[in-house]
Amino acid sequence: MSESNLERHFGTERHRILVESLSHVSKEQNQHRCSEEGFIEDVGAGFDRNDEDCQYTYEDGCSDEDESVIESDVVQLARSLERSSTCKPFPNLLFALLYILIHGPHPMGESNLSFIWFMLQSAGHSVPSLSKVRKFLLPGFVPSLKFLSPDRYPFYYNSMRSTLSSCLGKRKIARDLTRYPVVTSIYKEVFHGKRWNTDPRFFTPMITTNDIPVFLRECVAFSHPQFGMTTAFIVKFFQKGDDVELCFEGDLLLDARQFKIAVPDSTIYFLPVNTRILFGRTEQCISLITSVEQKPTDIVQWEAATDSFKRFSSEETAQYLSPHPFKAKAAGRRVVTVPLVLFSDDTSGNKSKKWHKFESWSFMLAGLPRNLNAKHENIHFICCSDQMDALGMSGPIADELTGLEMDGIEVYDAYLNEQVLVIAPLLCIICDNPQASKLVNHLGGSANKYCRFCMADRDTSPCLVCEERSLQQSLQQMEIIRSQRTEALREQHRTLYGVREVSNPLLHVPSDLYRCLPVEALHIIPLGICKAFLKDVMPKLSPTQKREVLARIRAFNHSGFKVKIHGNVCYHYQSFVGRDYKAWMQMAIFILSPYLSNGQLIVLVNLSKVFQIAYCSFFELSKAEAWHQICVDFVHSVRDFMPKMLRKQKVHYILHLVQCMQDYGPSSSFCAERPESFNSNIRMQNIFGNKQAPSRDIAVHFAVIEHLRFVCEGGYYNDKESCDTGLHDLYYSNQVQRFLNSAPSKELNAHKAIYTAATARMPSGACDQFMFLKVTITELGVESTLEQILKMDPPYDVIVHLGSLMDGKLQQFKANSIHHSVSSNMDSS
């Protein structure tokens, strides 16, 4: 670099602040030497200090943008040092940076770390030894636990209890966590779905109003607009839409004497109205009935079948009015329900991604919005092993899930600033199809009863949704299989039921596991049906047609895509990954239409509609029937025109897609794309480990980084913050966030809708709000043709394809709030 550029750098404000910051750190290190407190052990004395002269060179190609970013980080760090001279619980700033470097999500080899230590010591810094930094113990750290599989293989396990405690202790997570069901007709998140809104296991059982705890299954007095002061039996607390105010749902109980209801042989009765009542803000209408004398004692209910009143027996009354089981367990604390989403997958343990198979478990908090759950720091590692499958490691997971749901755990809630009792039931498990079948003892896609949702048969009912499977039914079928005397009879019953009778701890979790495994769109559509369609079509094309297809792809306008399709799709489609198939599905109808038969074209059009449903941004409950009919039409078109594909399990699963979206919201809420990308962190930990005990090393690393994030984000430990402002500001600097989370803090805090590369977007969120027209350009030209279409005055958006797509040009026409995508081979004029 020229001398003038060097002088220019020495004269910048950034250089001055950097020199002052480094001198401040050196003084701090001389005053606060690393003591033995906070270390497990002190092994080694580090490197000898070498005060050698160093020459610095500055590249001419250094970006001004990079310099400004670094300068802003240095300014931010200098201001932090002025406010706080410590980085508790670390001894000093340099020690904190080195600890983050060693225990970050991107591991480094021993030689690289040794060279970094050598550079720091050569620059004259007092650097603690590498072993000291490695063995530094943060306060409140919970180590990984050792378990043995049924085959006596050891594996290490990070407790979900300690991770939940860390999550609720972080103010940013506790603030954004949804704690009550959200009642709405437009589903955007998993907590909008029917499963969370209808299953009492996921209801938060209490609220606090006027400093009085009110639980479910309690009687409350309120002012009814029609009946005046009356009584209700609470069955659910919820939020209505985007309103943060809480509402409650309950059975209305009326005093028979007050309303002059004729009831038999008694003076006081309470009458539950059959229809449940939805009430407004709980703070304005609830006052808890505490006096035992005021509570209902005799209850009658009108029976339309017999046209008479039915009086509850004493046992029925006691059962109906029995208190919520967590009321006694709460012991004066608030109770919060935090449903969990588990993820299970297999991944390779080396760079080639071909060998050394690992199976792993991780989990997420279902109450977080999907844009937060998509971040790796909110995906929490549980365990992994290269010696056993996921089912072999499920024993402690099943035990802990049962305890979290039945007993709960006491944690500190940073949002409520108090100790709370947390219930954490299992909401769903995300995994691919073979793994899902294994987790419920299903025989998989090769069985005649190849569906894990219903009893559909591959040969007789592939296009029908048959009797729904349930956990109780499957347990009975397994007992019948075990009771058979010969192996031949057992095999016959396995084929009949489609299940196997192996030991499975997950079947004893309080959740119905058959309802906890939704249709996962990535492995069903892009990596399943789309791949099978190309496998059926591409081999039948001639070499000339394949060259034309490649030319069409290259001429296609990719300006609206985040990725391009690389390689020759005619030959390399079997090597495509999910993002490639997503991009391909958005252009396939234009590229392949001249080479497909009428039947294949119908299948592709229906598949495109299903693809839109699977990757919509939100789900309208009123459209569920129409969307399900689109899925049925696709399966029927496959049956009529491509019957070989009908035998595939994934084609039948399309029939269950809309039901899963009703239960869990849009499929992007329970997709596998982001959790699968988390597998790269597991792989890198194994690559840079010593491979002697990979399950232990990987689990310990993730436990350390989980607790490191908890401490640096200001998590609450023993009812107080675990770090000071100096460490907090250091953690949220852009450079540290880039290293730990692969993104600057500004991007991490931005609330953006998550979409993987080349994901289809639906502007209005519903497929039937679009009308697809194939229009031939008339002699009058494009404008006249559009005017004729506009005269139809359609009530929804119209996407019009004019002519054939030869050069991939896309012209946009807008008129009367109708958006027209016009594809033609005409000139821009």
Side-chain angles (χ1 to χ4, degrees), residues 489-523:
L489 289 175
R490 285 193 289 270
E491 184 63 30
Q492 180 180 352
H493 282 78
R494 293 188 195 112
T495 305
L496 176 64
Y497 299 133
V499 297
R500 57 171 65 92
E501 71 282 13
V502 297
S503 176
N504 186 349
L506 291 176
L507 296 181
H508 303 290
V509 173
S511 303
D512 186 347
L513 217 59
Y514 282 91
R515 293 195 61 193
C516 293
L517 293 162
V519 172
E520 204 286 303
L522 173 66
H523 296 91

Side-chain angles (χ1 to χ4, degrees), residues 444-479:
S446 60
N448 287 334
K449 299 291 177 62
Y450 62 170
C451 179
R452 68 174 185 269
F453 297 98
C454 67
M455 298 295 292
D457 190 277
R458 182 195 303 273
D459 298 322
T460 60
S461 56
C463 301
L464 300 176
V465 177
C466 301
E467 178 189 359
E468 184 180 356
R469 290 183 184 269
S470 66
L471 178 62
Q472 190 63 32
Q473 177 196 53
S474 294
L475 291 175
Q476 294 174 358
Q477 292 170 350
M478 293 175 201
E479 288 299 322

Side-chain angles (χ1 to χ4, degrees), residues 223-236:
S223 177
H224 192 276
Q226 180 180 358
F227 302 112
M229 288 303 299
T230 185
T231 308
F233 182 74
I234 301 179
V235 296
K236 176 183 177 182

Side-chain angles (χ1 to χ4, degrees), residues 105-107 343-351 356-363 376 379-386 393 675-689 691 694-695 697-699 701-702:
H106 310 289
F343 174 73
S344 178
D345 196 19
D346 55 359
T347 185
S348 172
N350 54 27
K351 292 182 180 180
H356 200 182
K357 177 182 176 181
F358 277 81
E359 295 217 14
S360 64
W361 283 95
S362 55
F363 80 96
H376 282 185
I379 302 174
H380 310 286
F381 177 86
I382 300 177
C383 60
C384 72
S385 177
D386 58 345
M393 296 182 286
E676 282 207 350
S677 67
F678 185 75
N679 289 338
S680 61
N681 296 337
I682 300 175
R683 184 183 309 112
M684 295 304 294
Q685 295 304 324
N686 182 68
I687 291 172
F688 286 93
K691 301 179 179 62
S695 179
D697 295 342
I698 295 173
H701 172 83
F702 280 107

Side-chain angles (χ1 to χ4, degrees), residues 44-50 110-111 113-122 125 127-131:
F47 297 94
D48 294 334
R49 294 186 57 182
N50 296 318
E110 189 72 21
S111 59
L113 290 175
S114 299
F115 184 70
I116 292 174
W117 253 252
F118 170 75
M119 288 193 301
L120 291 173
Q121 292 184 345
S122 299
H125 298 288
V127 185
S129 66
L130 181 59
S131 61

Side-chain angles (χ1 to χ4, degrees), residues 192-231:
H192 294 161
K194 281 187 175 181
R195 187 85 193 282
W196 196 325
N197 276 276
T198 58
D199 193 337
R201 295 172 45 247
F202 305 114
F203 296 168
T204 293
M206 69 158 293
I207 63 169
T208 300
T209 174
N210 300 325
D211 296 329
I212 299 176
V214 181
F215 279 82
L216 298 179
R217 306 185 63 82
E218 284 190 337
C219 293
V220 296
F222 69 99
S223 177
H224 192 276
Q226 180 180 358
F227 302 112
M229 288 303 299
T230 185
T231 308

